[in-house]
Amino acid sequence: MPKTRPHVIVTRKLPDVVETRMRELFDARLNLDDRPMSQAELIEAVRDADVLVPTVTDRIDAAVLTQAGPRLKLVANYGNGVDNIDVETATKRGISVTNTPGVLTEDTADMTMALILAVPRRLADGIRVMETGEWKGWSPTWMLGHRINGKRLGIVGMGRIGQAVARRARAFGMQIHYHNRRRVPTAVEEELEATYWDSLDQMLARMDVISVHCPHTPATYHLLSARRLKLLRPEAYIVNTARGEVIDENALARMLEADELAGAGLDVFEHEPSVNPKLAKSDKVLLLPHMGSATIEGRVDMGEKVIINIKTFADGHRPPDRVLPSML
């Protein structure tokens, strides 16, 4: 990195306090109108920058990275996931990649719990009735949903967010089950009273609610495939605040349409920002516009992580949140 202030190009509008700090510390070029960059603009940016700060919607793939200029030494992602970046290609070209882990755990877990509550209790249906003026008064048999107390929650991916969801769900009286690449420490299982399943198939077949919390990698693409979704009981619900690509969205839509699942709460989608038309029109689905981490506090914390990673790297040290291909 140059001894002068590094030239940092930011691809999207960030919170004002974050942008102001970046201008104070770096030679920062901001995107004040928040218009997503095209691939050609991203290529122009990597040719010119010392540091690129993309977001999860920017595809920093091999086609972009192979056009990078000799100055580019760091891609400091403004986001927890790095599935938008070809980390292997970046590493081979001597470009470090960082992310912002940990800061969005509580926000995403809050939103997940909101969906776990909202879908079985038919909150979206209730809102629609009030908005259309259809409500005629209370009835003992109308707008009935299901309680979550005592129900089995199956968590797919028991990392920081999965564990935070488990803690919230325990407070609502749910029984915690999980599948993960590696079993969590015994102390964590005991705290959460969690049951581990080494077989994802067996867990899916027995749960009342499934909540997805694994990253999107080649290994997790359509992890919940059509075959696996068929294992779910017709009374089950599925919630996803992780990545849309983890679920076979077409298969999910078909099952909901055929009454083979009770409902779904989705904050992420396979082809964002496009939403499967069958999901969009289904009255069994509560859809949110990828807002699981959308809090002011979370976005500012993300920006501070990005700044720390850039400053540490510019000072000649290993950034604290570096991502390597072996970690994916």
Side-chain angles (χ1 to χ4, degrees):
M1 295 288 283
K3 292 185 179 179
T4 57
R5 300 200 307 173
H7 182 41
V8 177
I9 296 180
V10 184
T11 65
R12 297 295 295 268
K13 173 105 178 77
L14 303 183
D16 287 348
V17 64
V18 175
E19 292 184 334
T20 300
R21 189 61 177 147
M22 283 189 170
R23 290 298 296 264
E24 290 171 348
L25 292 172
F26 316 124
D27 172 22
R29 191 176 92 193
L30 307 176
N31 183 352
L32 298 180
D33 63 1
D34 200 29
R35 181 181 59 82
M37 287 185 174
S38 65
Q39 185 187 59
E41 289 170 324
L42 289 171
I43 289 173
E44 181 183 350
V46 298
R47 286 174 175 169
D48 187 45
D50 298 311
V51 179
L52 182 72
V53 179
T55 67
V56 295
T57 58
D58 298 307
R59 299 300 305 172
I60 313 302
D61 54 17
V64 172
L65 290 168
T66 53
Q67 299 295 315
R71 294 174 55 180
L72 185 70
K73 296 300 179 185
L74 176 64
V75 176
N77 201 41
Y78 183 82
N80 184 39
V82 290
D83 50 301
N84 59 311
I85 301 171
D86 188 334
V87 178
E88 186 171 354
T89 296
T91 303
K92 287 178 179 177
R93 294 183 62 85
I95 302 168
S96 295
V97 176
T98 61
N99 65 342
T100 61
V103 296
L104 304 179
T105 299
E106 303 305 323
D107 297 330
T108 306
D110 284 346
M111 187 62 78
T112 303
M113 198 65 221
L115 287 172
I116 291 172
L117 289 165
V119 177
R121 291 301 304 272
R122 302 181 61 186
L123 264 63
D125 291 338
I127 291 170
R128 281 193 289 267
V129 166
M130 298 302 290
E131 288 178 341
T132 58
E134 296 176 23
W135 189 42
K136 304 304 180 184
W138 182 86
S139 167
T141 58
W142 185 66
M143 199 60 76
L144 300 183
H146 290 277
R147 68 169 60 134
I148 65 165
N149 181 273
K151 297 297 191 295
R152 294 185 177 92
L153 172 64
I155 296 175
V156 182
M158 197 64 148
R160 283 185 293 261
I161 295 174
Q163 292 177 33
V165 170
R167 292 186 181 94
R168 287 159 173 75
R170 280 294 301 153
F172 282 89
M174 299 191 80
Q175 300 175 35
I176 307 303
H177 297 250
Y178 76 98
H179 170 79
N180 202 48
R181 285 189 301 173
R182 291 179 292 273
R183 191 166 183 169
V184 301
T186 302
V188 175
E189 283 191 355
E190 291 177 350
E191 174 203 350
L192 301 174
E193 299 182 46
T195 300
Y196 172 66
W197 294 84
D198 57 359
S199 168
L200 176 58
D201 288 8
Q202 291 185 19
M203 184 184 80
L204 292 174
R206 293 165 170 82
M207 297 298 110
D208 300 300
V209 181
I210 294 294
S211 189
V212 179
H213 298 290
C214 58
H216 172 221
T217 67
T220 63
Y221 175 75
H222 282 190
L223 179 68
L224 296 187
S225 60
R227 180 190 67 80
R228 283 200 168 113
L229 290 172
K230 286 286 188 180
L231 298 173
L232 294 171
R233 298 183 304 114
E235 302 84 11
Y237 300 89
I238 188 164
V239 168
N240 188 7
T241 57
R243 285 290 186 267
E245 294 89 344
V246 176
I247 299 177
D248 183 336
E249 207 167 80
N250 285 324
L252 176 63
R254 287 194 300 269
M255 289 182 65
L256 289 164
E257 191 175 40
D259 293 328
E260 295 172 347
L261 275 178
L266 306 175
D267 184 47
V268 290
F269 306 92
E270 190 170 351
H271 302 290
E272 293 186 16
S274 298
V275 178
N276 187 302
K278 289 184 178 181
L279 293 176
K281 71 179 183 180
S282 173
D283 59 5
K284 291 186 172 185
V285 185
L286 196 164
L287 305 176
L288 295 177
H290 201 150
M291 55 188 290
S293 62
T295 67
I296 294 172
E297 297 86 349
R299 294 287 190 253
V300 171
D301 287 347
M302 288 168 66
E304 290 177 351
K305 279 262 189 182
V306 169
I307 290 169
I308 290 170
N309 281 315
I310 297 172
K311 189 71 170 66
T312 304
F313 191 80
D315 290 342
H317 305 291
R318 179 189 174 102
D321 301 309
R322 187 179 180 191
V323 179
L324 299 171
S326 59
M327 300 165 62
L328 302 177

